Amino acid sequence: MLPRTGFTLILTALVASGVAFVAGQGRLSREDADRFQGKLTRIMAAGNTARAGAHQSTPITDTEVNAYLRYLATNQIPSGIVEPTLTAVGDGRVSGRATVDLDAVRKQKQRSWLDPLGYLTGSLPLSASGLLITKDGVGRFQLESAEISGVTIPKSVLQELLSYYSRTPERPAGINMDDPFELPARIREIQVGRGQATVVQ
């Protein structure tokens, strides 16, 4: 799992705390990944050395983020999540896609016949989309839709998957998608356009 600051910057910056794993991309290169790594380093440095009245805006494209996930962050993505990709849809909306191991989540407890996760087996494509709202250093994610293999799933199913795959020793219950979250590195807001987001510090 990514450290909380990195997780928030990478998956939350465009997807709100790792809630969504988004749409496919074209060709991704190691150069795109290195470009994102450089931007991430500058964002973190600016957060550590921010001066009163100083502002910095950093545009980050879908291609850069997804190349980073493919080439440089493979050992930071939770086991059981394969090929996550992110898309900035525009007007604050983000979407995401990944193949997710549902067996690991399903087997963690006894399921009733009314529980949708009791019927989902193997590794299947998960997609989700919603609105990323950020202001004054605080963000929140408003889910609009989620699907597994093209079939709409309730928010509770996505929340259980998110809780399971975002668990850390410090946060054994994982992330609650409804909770507001503090943006790291003195980020004030994230402006989501079409195909890119701008990190404002």
Side-chain angles (χ1 to χ4, degrees), residues 72-95:
L72 299 180
T74 54
N75 65 339
Q76 299 171 319
I77 296 169
S79 177
I81 295 177
V82 180
E83 296 182 350
T85 55
L86 312 174
T87 298
V89 179
D91 295 325
R93 284 176 168 75
V94 294
S95 67

Side-chain angles (χ1 to χ4, degrees), residues 47-150:
N48 292 330
T49 60
R51 302 184 307 275
H55 300 294
Q56 173 176 296
S57 295
T58 307
I60 299 172
T61 69
D62 292 353
T63 299
E64 291 167 344
V65 173
N66 292 321
Y68 179 83
L69 292 173
R70 176 178 294 181
Y71 293 107
L72 299 180
T74 54
N75 65 339
Q76 299 171 319
I77 296 169
S79 177
I81 295 177
V82 180
E83 296 182 350
T85 55
L86 312 174
T87 298
V89 179
D91 295 325
R93 284 176 168 75
V94 294
S95 67
R97 182 179 178 86
T99 299
V100 178
D101 180 359
L102 301 175
D103 286 337
V105 183
R106 178 175 54 82
K107 293 176 180 178
Q108 68 176 331
K109 68 178 184 180
Q110 194 72 28
R111 303 280 174 181
S112 75
W113 65 274
L114 293 174
D115 188 337
L117 276 173
Y119 301 94
L120 298 172
T121 61
S123 294
L124 298 174
L126 165 69
S127 62
S129 62
L131 186 64
L132 176 62
I133 303 166
T134 60
K135 184 179 181 181
D136 298 329
V138 177
R140 64 186 181 88
F141 181 73
Q142 182 178 310
L143 179 69
E144 295 182 334
S145 66
E147 298 179 348
I148 292 178
S149 291

Side-chain angles (χ1 to χ4, degrees), residues 31 36 42 170 175:
E31 289 74 20
F36 178 83
R42 288 195 297 274
E170 298 76 24
I175 294 170

Side-chain angles (χ1 to χ4, degrees), residues 24-38:
Q25 293 293 306
R27 297 177 62 184
L28 302 174
S29 70
R30 177 60 186 258
E31 289 74 20
D32 293 321
D34 291 339
R35 191 176 303 112
F36 178 83
Q37 178 66 74

Side-chain angles (χ1 to χ4, degrees), residues 1-3 7 75-78 165-168:
M1 165 67 72
L2 292 167
F7 184 73
N75 65 339
Q76 299 171 319
I77 296 169
Y165 281 110
S166 63
R167 294 182 304 184
T168 65

Side-chain angles (χ1 to χ4, degrees), residues 4-14 34-51 54-61 64-65 68 182-191 197-201:
R4 179 64 177 169
T5 53
F7 184 73
T8 305
L9 270 174
I10 298 167
L11 300 182
T12 299
L14 295 179
D34 291 339
R35 191 176 303 112
F36 178 83
Q37 178 66 74
K39 290 181 178 182
L40 180 60
T41 299
R42 288 195 297 274
I43 289 169
M44 298 305 294
N48 292 330
T49 60
R51 302 184 307 275
H55 300 294
Q56 173 176 296
S57 295
T58 307
I60 299 172
T61 69
E64 291 167 344
V65 173
Y68 179 83
E182 182 178 352
L183 299 173
R186 299 179 190 252
I187 295 173
R188 292 184 295 138
E189 64 175 322
I190 300 168
Q191 301 167 349
T198 301
V199 176
V200 180
Q201 293 173 283

